[in-house]
Amino acid sequence: MSTPPYARIAGDIKQRIADGRLRPGDRVPSTRQLARDWGVALATATKALAVLAQEGVV
């Protein structure tokens, strides 16, 4: 079974944080930016950001 798009997006942002490409205080990409960059619906990008917030990552 493949990983859902929202989970791939969340994983990418977590990796950016781990790599230091996103540092404390940096803004995470907006819902619209994620939707554009990943070619997903706004709802999918919103879910990815919600998962990150739920996990305390952002």
Side-chain angles (χ1 to χ4, degrees):
M1 188 165 143
S2 74
T3 306
Y6 77 88
R8 288 195 305 269
I9 295 168
D12 178 67
I13 292 174
K14 286 181 196 176
Q15 189 61 50
R16 291 187 209 180
I17 292 168
D19 292 348
R21 291 180 281 157
L22 279 175
R23 296 185 315 257
D26 286 352
R27 294 178 60 102
V28 296
S30 69
T31 301
R32 290 187 186 276
Q33 185 65 48
L34 289 173
R36 234 185 339 264
D37 291 349
W38 286 83
V40 296
L42 289 175
T44 302
T46 299
K47 186 170 182 177
L49 292 174
V51 166
L52 292 168
Q54 219 172 23
E55 294 177 357
V57 176
V58 296

